[in-house]
Amino acid sequence: MSRHETSPTTVQPASNHRPNACCFCWCCCCSCSWNEDRERAWRASRETKLETIPNCEACAKPTPEEVRGWAQSFDKLMKSPAGRNVFREFLRTEYSEENMLFWLACEELKNECNKHTIDEKARVIYEDYISILSPKEVSLDSRVREVINRKMQEPSSHTFDDAQLQTYTLMHRDSYPRFLNSAIYKSLLQSVSRSSSES
C-alpha cells in the first residue's frame, strides 16, 4: 500500500487542520502533499520575509586576531558582533539564517524588563520562529515545543531559553564547521591579514 492510500484503520483528523492523514507529526520527515505545499509556500515567502530584516548588527571592523579567534571556538564567534554578522551571512547562503535571527531575538528578550514589552516580544518571537506556519520556523524537538507552549500562557524573558540553547547547539555542531571551511570566512581571513601586513 502506498503512503497516500488510506487503510480502514487510518484515523482521519476531525478538523481541516491537517489535510493529509499520512503525517501525524509536524516535521518534514515525509513527502506527503501537506509538506510539499508547506515547502512551496515557505520558499515563496522566504525571500521577501528575509529582505525585510535589517541587514546586520552595527559593529567595528574585526582585527586579524579576532577573525582568527573565531576558528578557536564557537563561543568567541558568537560573542563578537562582527563574528555574528559574518556567520549570519554564511547561514543565509545555507538558507538557515533564521537560526541566528531567533538566537538574537531571544538575547534581546532576555534584556527586557517591562512586562507588557516582554509579552509583545514573546508573541512576535513565537509567531516568527516557533509557529509551524512561519516561513522562518526554527527546528526544535517536540519536548521543547511543549515547554514553550506552556510558558506562552504567561511569557517571561526566559520563555525561549531551552529553544535558544537547542538552536545554539545546532548552529555549533552543524553550521559552524562548514563556516570555518567556507569561502566567506577564508576570504575575510585573507583580507584582514593582508590589510594588517600592509599597515
Side-chain angles (χ1 to χ4, degrees):
M1 180 183 291
S2 81
R3 99 180 91 190
H4 291 286
E5 290 171 15
T6 343
S7 75
T9 55
T10 303
V11 179
Q12 293 291 336
S15 69
N16 298 336
H17 205 73
R18 299 298 306 277
N20 195 316
C22 77
C23 268
F24 293 98
C25 63
W26 287 111
C27 66
C28 296
C29 60
C30 71
S31 59
C32 70
S33 62
W34 181 82
N35 276 311
E36 288 164 7
D37 293 345
R38 180 175 178 229
E39 186 164 334
R40 267 195 296 278
W42 179 79
R43 290 194 185 286
S45 61
R46 180 175 197 91
E47 301 291 318
T48 52
K49 288 276 184 188
L50 293 185
E51 281 167 14
T52 62
I53 297 160
N55 267 338
C56 286
E57 299 173 78
C59 62
K61 186 180 175 185
T63 64
E65 294 73 29
E66 191 178 358
V67 175
R68 280 192 286 271
W70 299 341
Q72 293 166 9
S73 85
F74 185 60
D75 287 342
K76 281 187 179 180
L77 173 72
M78 290 294 281
K79 283 176 182 166
S80 158
R84 289 194 297 268
N85 281 343
V86 177
F87 186 52
R88 183 176 155 188
E89 285 304 313
F90 168 75
L91 292 175
R92 187 177 291 197
T93 67
E94 294 208 325
Y95 302 101
S96 59
E97 185 185 16
E98 65 275 1
N99 291 327
M100 177 64 85
L101 297 173
F102 172 65
W103 187 86
L104 290 168
C106 292
E107 286 296 289
E108 192 180 310
L109 181 66
K110 283 181 190 172
N111 296 325
E112 197 53 65
C113 300
N114 180 285
K115 180 75 176 84
H116 176 70
T117 310
I118 287 171
D119 285 354
E120 256 180 31
K121 285 188 175 180
R123 302 268 167 223
V124 169
I125 291 172
Y126 187 90
E127 286 168 17
D128 281 356
Y129 304 107
I130 310 299
S131 168
I132 55 156
L133 302 173
S134 172
K136 295 183 286 179
E137 179 194 0
V138 292
S139 178
L140 300 171
D141 66 36
S142 57
R143 181 194 63 81
V144 169
R145 284 184 181 279
E146 283 168 23
V147 169
I148 291 172
N149 287 334
R150 278 199 306 273
K151 288 182 175 179
M152 281 302 291
Q153 292 167 19
E154 195 62 44
S156 77
S157 56
H158 295 281
T159 293
F160 302 102
D161 283 4
D162 289 348
Q164 187 187 21
L165 177 61
Q166 198 167 89
T167 302
Y168 187 90
T169 304
L170 176 70
M171 290 191 291
H172 185 187
R173 289 182 182 164
D174 189 49
S175 305
Y176 176 61
R178 288 196 299 276
F179 166 72
L180 295 179
N181 289 310
S182 70
I184 289 176
Y185 178 64
K186 286 178 176 175
S187 66
L188 175 65
L189 198 54
Q190 283 177 348
S191 166
V192 293
S193 299
R194 194 164 47 243
S195 61
S196 77
S197 64
E198 285 169 2
S199 58

